[in-house]
């Protein structure tokens, strides 16, 4: 069971202010419960198929210098901040 103290500890590590820890305890517990469902699916014996890609078929990485200030290339910025669209809930 997830505790309020664990949520407080993680929020401090992530430097996130949370006022209602109880709300997050319930949400995190639901996520962990869902992982338990996935863990009980029993797919360990299933074979996973994927193609092997030869390293010679990969593209070559190239260094391309970029001397301009990236923030000046953005349309909506102020100082060192970028303005993003509002998120609706």
């Amino acid at each position: 069971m997830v505790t309020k103290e664990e949520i407080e500890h993680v929020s401090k590590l992530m430097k996130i202010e949370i006022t209602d820890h109880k709300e997050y305890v319930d949400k995190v517990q639901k996520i962990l419960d869902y992982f338990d469902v996935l863990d009980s699916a029993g797919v360990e014996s299933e074979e996973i198929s994927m193609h092997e890609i030869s390293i010679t078929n990969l593209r070559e990485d190239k260094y391309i210098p970029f001397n301009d200030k990236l923030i000046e290339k953005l349309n909506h910025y102020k100082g060192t901040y970028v303005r993003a669209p509002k998120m609706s809930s």
Side-chain angles (χ1 to χ4, degrees):
M1 183 70 175
V2 178
T3 65
K4 176 185 170 190
E5 290 77 21
E6 290 171 323
I7 297 295
E8 287 175 350
H9 178 70
V10 171
S11 68
K12 285 179 186 175
L13 291 175
M14 296 175 65
K15 297 181 181 180
I16 298 173
E17 271 190 50
I18 297 177
T19 54
D20 183 14
H21 293 84
K22 173 69 175 140
E23 174 188 350
Y24 291 96
V25 168
D26 295 338
K27 288 180 179 182
V28 170
Q29 189 59 51
K30 285 180 183 178
I31 292 169
L32 293 175
D33 290 343
Y34 186 69
F35 277 115
D36 287 341
V37 170
L38 294 176
D39 284 343
S40 67
V43 294
E44 291 85 12
S45 63
E46 296 294 322
E47 188 171 324
I48 299 171
S49 62
M50 53 193 291
H51 332 301
E52 287 187 25
I53 299 174
S54 170
I55 196 160
T56 57
N57 293 340
L58 299 176
R59 69 170 170 80
E60 183 181 334
D61 286 334
K62 296 178 184 173
Y63 171 72
I64 302 171
F66 187 81
N67 297 326
D68 297 333
K69 288 187 176 182
L70 183 59
I71 198 158
E72 292 174 357
K73 300 293 181 188
L74 299 171
N75 292 333
H76 303 287
Y77 77 94
K78 183 176 184 179
T80 57
Y81 296 98
V82 176
R83 191 165 138 206
K86 290 184 180 181
M87 302 293 288
S88 60
S89 54

